[in-house]
Amino acid sequence: MIQIRLTVYVVLAALASLVVSTPVKAREDSAKVPGAQCTTIDRRKEWRDMSVGQRLSYINAVLCLHSLPPNDKTRAATSRYEEFQATHILLTDRVHSVGHFLPWHRHLGTLYGKALREECGYDGPTAYWDWRRDADSEVDILKSPIFDPVTGFGGDGVEGTYTLPPDPNNEGATLPTFAPAPGPLPTGTFTFPGGTAPGPFPTFTFPSGTPPPPSGTPFPGLPPGGGFPSPYKGCVLDGPFNSTNWRIHLGPGKLVTEHCLVRNISPFGKFMLTSEVVRNVMLSKNYEEFRLAVDSFQNGPIHGGGHVLVGGEMINVYSAGADPLFYLHHAGLDKVWWDWQQVDPTNRLYDVSGPTTQGGSIPITLDFELDFPALGPNITVRDTMDSALEPNCFTYE
């Protein structure tokens, strides 16, 4: 069976390579004036709604981007793909839990899609991940098309294939591992606003806006005896981003280490990504309510939920971009924002608020400048707000 699947992958990948497989020279007209009318529109699609050819072409373009040298050779990034990760690492503390979290990540995704097209010849739609389609399903998350080893991003990490590097100064920003307690699984409550699910599992309070699971729901992924497993389970060994094809030189966190793509896929994340959770987010009356509902694990689940579901380096706030699923997850988050804007464009299209710095008191404005070192020119928050204008030029299907 393994040999058959590998053969199928090779054949399909070969077909996709007829569409795109080699780097191309960036178009000279790539610099457009922000706010200008778009000449083309990127009709973004959910991964499983793309054709097999489009999915394989997208994967090939990501591999291509990782084969290109970085534009800025003075930084630690060893490839053009890592350059996007490096910029996210550099700016993490400036673009999370702030008013411009959504605008900044929107434009990061736009620049990433632009690089796939202009530098690697990809001519399909930008892909996003609608996690509701997996979270609402009873099907094992590992059977999702997202994690398919042939036409997806490969599966889970394999236990025992990765060890976190020494990190005496805590630059890796890795979560601690709590060892299982001896004896029987402790009894506790799984607390959601509006209800609790009785154990057995450790007491855990969930963020606002999330519906409770059915009474008696076990704590997903909890090892016998209690405790929480490390998110850095092991290397991905199957699919196009396996440990042979995909070597990353940045992370975890701010560390610079060569390593594989690390995952620990957990069904726990599904609770944070259901249709009901997203509907609660969509009830936000203004941008301030909306950004607080998605910007952090503490205030709302859907941003953190996607990271938690994939686990591994995706759960690292700095170096999550090591996993190509980072971009599909954030495109999915951006789609929720886009949907929210489209409900009332008169009042929501340019609605923005929140601090300019974490915990700060200076409010964001539409003229606040966003920077993207080594990726593109600085733009303002205003430039990101309307998807129908340059430099955005996209819609969601």
Side-chain angles (χ1 to χ4, degrees):
M1 176 61 74
I2 294 175
Q3 182 62 45
I4 292 174
R5 289 187 70 83
L6 288 174
T7 302
V8 171
Y9 178 78
V10 170
V11 172
L12 290 175
L15 291 174
S17 69
L18 297 176
V19 180
V20 54
S21 59
T22 56
V24 297
K25 183 178 179 181
R27 295 193 299 267
E28 295 180 359
D29 65 348
S30 60
K32 301 291 182 68
V33 177
Q37 293 296 317
C38 300
T39 55
T40 59
I41 294 291
D42 173 21
R43 300 189 178 279
R44 299 180 174 182
K45 288 188 175 184
E46 211 277 341
W47 183 254
R48 67 206 88 196
D49 293 334
M50 295 165 60
S51 69
V52 170
Q54 287 175 329
R55 279 178 265 170
L56 292 171
S57 293
Y58 180 95
I59 290 168
N60 274 0
V62 175
L63 293 170
C64 161
L65 201 64
H66 198 29
S67 73
L68 299 179
N71 287 345
D72 182 356
K73 296 179 175 59
T74 66
R75 300 198 299 172
T78 67
S79 74
R80 185 70 170 127
Y81 178 90
E82 287 183 355
E83 207 153 41
F84 283 83
Q85 184 195 15
T87 294
H88 187 269
I89 292 171
L90 176 68
L91 301 183
T92 288
D93 295 329
R94 289 169 44 196
V95 299
H96 291 81
S97 299
V98 290
H100 49 288
F101 166 77
L102 290 165
W104 190 88
H105 282 83
R106 170 175 282 182
H107 193 58
L108 178 70
T110 297
L111 291 172
Y112 181 74
K114 174 183 172 184
L116 294 180
R117 290 184 181 83
E118 298 188 0
E119 299 175 44
C120 286
Y122 176 64
D123 63 356
T126 293
Y128 70 91
W129 180 10
D130 185 352
W131 348 265
R132 293 172 294 185
R133 294 167 69 166
D134 297 304
D136 293 345
S137 172
E138 297 296 325
V139 177
D140 183 349
I141 186 62
L142 288 172
K143 295 181 180 178
S144 167
I146 290 288
F147 298 113
D148 189 273
V150 176
T151 59
F153 294 80
D156 201 4
V158 176
E159 191 82 46
T161 57
Y162 176 74
T163 302
L164 283 167
D167 185 18
N169 299 318
N170 196 31
E171 294 179 288
T174 55
L175 297 175
T177 301
F178 299 96
L185 194 66
T187 298
T189 57
F190 201 77
T191 304
F192 288 71
T196 61
F201 37 73
T203 298
F204 186 83
T205 302
F206 213 66
S208 174
T210 304
S215 178
T217 298
F219 194 94
L222 195 66
F228 295 88
S230 168
Y232 296 85
K233 180 179 180 180
C235 298
V236 174
L237 301 183
D238 66 350
F241 304 103
N242 63 66
S243 60
T244 300
N245 288 350
W246 195 254
R247 304 298 297 177
I248 290 290
H249 301 82
L250 303 177
K254 298 178 182 179
L255 295 174
V256 178
T257 67
E258 180 180 347
H259 58 287
C260 61
L261 175 57
V262 181
R263 286 185 185 148
N264 186 2
I265 298 171
S266 169
F268 174 47
K270 292 175 70 172
F271 286 116
M272 313 178 219
L273 299 166
T274 63
S275 292
E276 186 171 356
V277 171
V278 175
R279 281 194 295 271
N280 287 337
V281 172
M282 290 290 290
L283 293 175
S284 303
K285 297 180 180 63
N286 52 52
Y287 180 85
E288 185 66 10
E289 288 186 11
F290 186 87
R291 77 168 188 91
L292 289 175
V294 301
D295 188 18
S296 70
F297 183 85
Q298 288 78 18
N299 293 314
I302 62 174
H303 174 216
H307 287 276
V308 169
L309 190 152
V310 177
E313 200 148 9
M314 264 284 278
I315 212 168
N316 192 297
V317 67
Y318 292 96
S319 57
D323 196 322
L325 281 175
F326 172 86
Y327 297 97
L328 273 74
H329 168 53
H330 271 275
L333 190 64
D334 186 72
K335 183 185 184 298
V336 177
W337 181 30
W338 184 86
D339 286 338
W340 182 84
Q341 287 182 304
Q342 301 307 307
V343 170
D344 184 7
T346 300
N347 294 306
R348 296 181 178 181
L349 200 58
Y350 287 94
D351 186 17
V352 69
S353 60
T356 57
T357 58
Q358 293 179 359
S361 58
I362 300 174
I364 200 80
T365 69
L366 289 169
D367 295 321
F368 184 80
E369 194 168 80
L370 309 174
D371 59 328
F372 299 86
L375 303 181
N378 293 4
I379 63 171
T380 66
V381 168
R382 183 190 312 275
D383 297 333
T384 71
M385 301 299 282
D386 189 345
S387 68
L389 299 177
E390 292 284 355
N392 312 299
C393 301
F394 66 83
T395 188
Y396 283 99
E397 295 183 349

